């Protein structure tokens, strides 16, 4: 399966998510470099499934302000957990340290992205009212 495009709440969100997807593909390539043949393709297939799920979710919540906020975080959250699980399955004695470092980098990148998405939802779309959370 190959996704055609990533649906997003606005252009800023789309650019951030596309950059994130590019970043995780690089991490996955590095992580699977010494693995048996086909592992990078397997990762890519799962990633495409997540993007398709996200796009389908968006189609169902287009007009719902509250669910749009939930949608905005789907790709980063699912990709983070999928990548951690995938890399855990690749782990062995010779690559354990490298994979732990990649997971750490990915976790930090995802945290930053989550903050940027929150800013978009709060400032640009007025979807998420931070004051209500305090």
């Amino acid at each position: 399966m190959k996704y055609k495009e990533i649906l997003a709440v606005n252009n800023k969100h789309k650019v951030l998510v596309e950059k994130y997807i590019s970043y995780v593909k690089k991490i996955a390539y590095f992580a699977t470099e010494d693995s048996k043949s086909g592992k990078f393709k397997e990762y890519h297939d799962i990633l495409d499934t997540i993007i398709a799920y996200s796009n389908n979710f968006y189609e169902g919540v287009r007009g719902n302000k509250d669910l749009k906020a939930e949608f905005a975080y789907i790709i980063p959250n699912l990709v983070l957990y999928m990548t951690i699980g995938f890399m855990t399955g690749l782990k062995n004695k010779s690559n354990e340290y490298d994979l732990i470092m990649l997971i750490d980098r990915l976790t930090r990148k995802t945290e930053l992205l989550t903050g940027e998405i929150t800013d978009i939802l709060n400032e640009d779309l007025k979807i998420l009212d931070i004051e209500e959370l305090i």
Side-chain angles (χ1 to χ4, degrees):
M1 175 186 344
K2 174 71 175 120
Y3 70 90
K4 293 182 180 179
E5 71 173 309
I6 296 172
L7 299 180
V9 294
N10 64 18
N11 196 50
K12 288 180 183 180
H13 180 245
K14 184 174 188 162
V15 168
L16 287 174
V17 171
E18 286 175 344
K19 285 182 183 178
Y20 179 75
I21 294 295
S22 177
Y23 179 79
V24 298
K25 285 180 182 179
K26 289 174 188 172
I27 283 182
Y29 181 81
F30 181 78
T32 59
E33 199 170 26
D34 296 328
S35 298
K36 67 181 182 176
S37 179
K39 285 296 178 188
F40 183 70
K41 183 187 177 317
E42 289 174 10
Y43 180 87
H44 221 274
D45 289 346
I46 299 167
L47 183 60
D48 284 347
T49 301
I50 289 171
I51 293 167
Y53 170 76
S54 176
N55 286 349
N56 290 337
F57 188 89
Y58 182 74
E59 292 294 337
V61 302
R62 263 190 187 173
N64 187 321
K65 183 176 160 183
D66 295 328
L67 290 177
K68 260 191 189 175
E70 181 181 334
F71 157 77
Y73 298 103
I74 284 177
I75 288 179
N77 287 335
L78 292 180
V79 169
L80 172 65
Y81 296 123
M82 180 268 291
T83 304
I84 291 171
F86 193 85
M87 288 188 185
T88 299
L90 296 174
K91 214 181 284 182
N92 59 44
K93 288 181 183 178
S94 67
N95 70 7
E96 183 174 12
Y97 178 79
D98 289 336
L99 292 180
I100 289 170
M101 292 293 99
L102 288 174
I103 290 169
D104 182 60
R105 286 183 188 155
L106 177 63
T107 301
R108 284 186 274 134
K109 183 77 165 181
T110 305
E111 289 170 1
L112 291 172
L113 176 61
T114 300
E116 291 176 294
I117 290 171
T118 300
D119 291 343
I120 289 170
L121 296 175
N122 186 35
E123 296 168 9
D124 295 346
L125 301 177
K126 303 296 183 214
I127 288 176
L128 186 62
D129 186 357
I130 298 298
E131 297 300 318
E132 289 179 5
L133 300 175
I134 298 174

